[in-house]
Amino acid sequence: MTKKQRPSKSGTLASRADRHVLYQIAVQDPEPEINFVQRVFKRARGRAAVSFKEDFCATAHLATAWVKGHRARTAVGVDLDEEVLAWGREHVLAVESPNVRERVSLVQANVLDVVSPKVDVVGAFNFSYLVFKKRTELVAYFKKAHASLNRDGLFYCDLFGGTDAIVPIVEPRRCRTGFTYVWEHESYNPITNEILCHIHFQFRDGSELRKAFTYDWRLWTIPEVRECLLEAGFKDTQVWWDPVDEEDYRVTEKEANQLGWLVYIVGVK
Ligand SMILES: C[S@@+](CC[C@H](N)C(=O)[O-])C[C@H]1O[C@@H](n2cnc3c(N)ncnc32)[C@H](O)[C@@H]1O
């Protein structure tokens, strides 16, 4: 066989890419998220949070970073999908020291079925709880989160919105390792508030990983999430707003609407 006849070893950049690696680079940033969780917890409870449950944990990137941040910390990650958990065990946890590995447990389950062990913090990040489209389901989930918390525990979730959130949009962003992350709202139904979103990845050679991730969600509003948290048994809720022009999220009760906004919503047990 001549060199010319040899099949290409390489293929396109898209065919060689791993969607979980790209997601971690483009979407996740555990350190500021953990700093925020601790800042709010300290302010509310006067101590640092130690135990963390990452609901919808996928590859457990955040749960692992949590544990790495302090030797006393523990984490439980819960996800329905065995494939992503296996990826996390192999690529995220296996590269850590035994001391880190033994403080993270991963559970393949529905978040509606896991209420132990009790923890200081339950987190549902990157909007994952929007999979619950009925009010009864959302309240049922928040009740489980409430039951999973220690007596002074806090629940954290995030939410996006604004005028651009409810129109079809394709938003590309260049990432540092040379690929482009594309966030797409394919459709929004104003009758149900259902929104269909995708993540695509584009590469320098023109190749693309289309629909690397797809999210079929209900875009709940901030007051709906707060009301459901209270209905589920939380004593209080806080909204922390991402001020684009300032350093850090701030707790607030009034803001002007924007093209796009991002908040954390905290449930206080
Ligand atoms: C948006 S991704 C997770 C993102 C990750 N938490 C982050 O911060 O980037 C959503 C994950 O939720 C999982 N999932 C969806 N419904 C679930 C459920 N009812 N219980 C547990 N996991 C669920 C999916 O398997 C998927 O891995």
Side-chain angles (χ1 to χ4, degrees):
M1 183 187 264
T2 66
K3 199 172 176 192
K4 231 180 168 176
Q5 290 171 308
R6 210 176 290 153
S8 158
K9 258 202 305 198
S10 49
T12 62
L13 289 171
S15 69
R16 282 184 279 142
D18 184 324
R19 67 187 184 127
H20 297 303
V21 172
L22 302 172
Y23 180 87
Q24 284 181 1
I25 294 170
V27 178
Q28 295 188 293
D29 198 0
E31 207 183 299
E33 194 136 71
I34 291 168
N35 290 343
F36 170 77
V37 167
Q38 287 293 19
R39 177 163 73 92
V40 172
F41 199 91
K42 194 91 193 269
R43 181 180 180 270
R45 303 309 195 198
R47 69 176 181 94
V50 178
S51 49
F52 173 55
K53 179 160 69 123
E54 185 185 7
D55 278 344
F56 311 95
C57 70
T59 62
H61 190 37
L62 184 63
T64 305
W66 173 268
V67 158
K68 283 172 73 177
H70 193 282
R71 66 185 181 287
R73 289 188 192 157
T74 55
V76 180
V78 182
D79 201 286
L80 264 182
D81 185 348
E82 183 48 42
E83 187 259 329
V84 282
L85 289 173
W87 194 98
R89 280 190 206 98
E90 191 183 333
H91 296 91
V92 181
L93 278 172
V95 298
E96 300 297 341
S97 67
N99 176 274
V100 167
R101 287 205 303 270
E102 70 198 17
R103 288 182 289 130
V104 180
S105 30
L106 299 186
V107 182
Q108 192 260 313
N110 192 320
V111 293
L112 294 171
D113 296 331
V114 181
V115 289
S116 69
K118 288 208 190 314
V119 290
D120 292 335
V121 168
V122 174
F125 293 124
N126 278 315
F127 324 116
S128 316
Y129 65 99
L130 301 180
V131 289
F132 297 123
K133 293 184 176 177
K134 294 197 177 116
R135 200 174 196 285
T136 47
E137 289 170 351
L138 190 63
V139 172
Y141 168 58
F142 289 162
K143 281 185 177 166
K144 296 293 177 168
H146 186 271
S148 308
L149 287 168
N150 289 328
R151 270 188 10 208
D152 64 347
L154 298 182
F155 171 76
Y156 297 68
C157 61
D158 48 14
L159 188 60
F160 68 96
T163 46
D164 267 0
I166 55 169
V167 289
I169 204 167
V170 177
E171 229 175 51
R173 171 164 53 82
R174 289 276 296 166
C175 292
R176 59 186 152 84
T177 44
F179 66 91
T180 299
Y181 159 89
V182 183
W183 175 250
E184 178 183 5
H185 301 156
E186 183 187 310
S187 62
Y188 166 75
N189 177 353
I191 311 295
T192 60
N193 265 23
E194 287 175 291
I195 184 166
L196 186 65
C197 306
H198 308 286
I199 292 175
H200 317 289
F201 297 109
Q202 296 169 343
F203 301 89
R204 281 191 306 267
D205 62 355
S207 61
E208 190 174 13
L209 261 187
R210 279 200 66 74
K211 299 189 181 173
F213 296 93
T214 288
Y215 305 109
D216 183 4
W217 285 335
R218 171 166 171 183
L219 190 59
W220 294 91
T221 63
I222 296 174
E224 285 170 327
V225 171
R226 298 181 90 179
E227 283 160 16
C228 289
L229 284 168
L230 293 175
E231 196 173 319
F234 287 91
K235 272 208 244 28
D236 193 13
T237 64
Q238 299 169 353
V239 176
W240 291 79
W241 186 265
D242 180 13
V244 184
D245 50 347
E246 289 169 40
E247 275 271 294
D248 227 329
Y249 285 76
R250 58 180 155 74
V251 70
T252 176
E253 286 295 331
K254 188 162 187 200
E255 297 293 334
N257 200 13
Q258 298 176 357
L259 288 177
W261 50 253
L262 202 60
V263 292
Y264 284 108
I265 302 176
V266 177
V268 181
K269 187 160 176 171

